[in-house]
Amino acid sequence: MMAARTFIDRLRNAGICAGDSEELRLQKSLLFFATGLISLASMVWLSIYWQLGPRFSSNLPFALQLLLVGNLLIYLKTLNFNAFRLIQLSLFLFTPFVAQWTIGSFITASGISLWALLAPIGAVLFIGPRESGAWFFAYVFLTTLSGAFDYYLADSASAPPYEVPAATTAFFFALNFTAVSSIVYLLLRYSDSEKHRAQQHLQETHRLLQVEQERSERLLLNILPAPIAERLKNSSQPIADGFAEVSVMFADIVNFTRVAEGMAPQQVFAMLNKIFSCFDELAEKYGLEKIKTIGDAYMVAGGLNDARSDFSGALAEMALEMCRLLHDDLQLNEMRLELRIGIGTGPVVAGVVGKKKFIYDLWGDTVNIASRVTSEGAPGVVQVDERTYRRLQQRFEFHQAQTIYLKGKGNMVVHRLIGHRTGSTVAAPRA
């Protein structure tokens, strides 16, 4: 039962296998189509011939049917397409000449040898233009040979075995030319439609591939900065870059653990996702690079992979706007959360660690200082180190400098950001 089902599937799909290329699929489909057309046409040809008078023997057309179908069944069993193709083309080529020689001359047989032209034309479609040359040469040779026989043996030849009326001969000349032309046209049209279908399938596959590629690109850019993502795609070398001057900002939610204790996990996630998504938009607005989130802490940096010189000012602008949003937007901040924000400036090392689940991260004393300045800050206050202060003092106002003790660093001077100086130019968001 399974074997019968497999055979039927092969017949329905023209013997096409899963690993076949599009070109081979088209060749198989065309050869099946041509076999069906020629089998049908030969029987119709014989029926019409009989209706018009001559009783041409049905042995040859019947034998052609058996050979065509038998070769087809053998192919479906063995799936040897090369042998199947060679035998079918040979039958297309030689059978019309044998039929012509059996009936008589080129004239009395109404040019039935024209059907052999389907062999070189089929070779172009089923094998390829280059390999079809031999089949065309064989067709020309057999046609020339038949013409020579008719020319040199016309006077000495005996009467043809079948008396064919002149009207029948003329009719079948037209019929043979029409039938061969129709089959050639149908094959070419079928070939073009199949190629068009394959091209549409290829275009659709290419479109889906582009969609997946764009989705992968967006996913990668959500994880890594664009220049780093490009380097990671083009090289397997470790990525680690040193930067002499980078501003790093940390923002921690005050008393987050206490606030989250009375909330369901889904509520905690929804709250953080809403706030941090808003921060992501601000980072994009000011042309800054979000590095990561660590629990309730948000880390962003300026001066990485960017030629702009006002990154510290952009970071300060973002910090002030973050505080304003949490203070003014009750829909965003239903729990009345506050931030501690700290900014440090200096050299860092930036890169991608590992080969799986990698992230782009920063290391160095500057990162530690920014983290310590944040943890020692007051709620709702943006606190910066001395180096950041020197970069911002011309455009922003600060409270009196303070000296605080930072774990692992000792005493350090920090400055609390108030806002813009009167008449100073606000850092322009990136377009």
Side-chain angles (χ1 to χ4, degrees), residues 30 183-195:
L30 282 171
I183 291 177
V184 171
Y185 170 75
L186 290 174
L187 283 175
L188 292 176
R189 180 163 182 167
Y190 182 74
S191 173
D192 183 72
S193 65
E194 288 296 300
K195 286 183 178 179

Side-chain angles (χ1 to χ4, degrees), residues 41-79:
S42 65
M43 298 308 297
V44 172
W45 185 92
L46 180 63
S47 300
I48 296 175
Y49 212 85
W50 279 21
Q51 291 295 323
L52 292 180
R55 290 296 184 264
F56 178 65
S57 173
S58 62
N59 291 338
L60 185 61
F62 185 66
L64 176 62
Q65 302 302 311
L66 291 180
L67 290 172
L68 289 174
V69 175
N71 187 37
L72 177 61
L73 296 178
I74 292 173
Y75 164 65
L76 293 175
K77 180 68 176 176
T78 62
L79 293 181

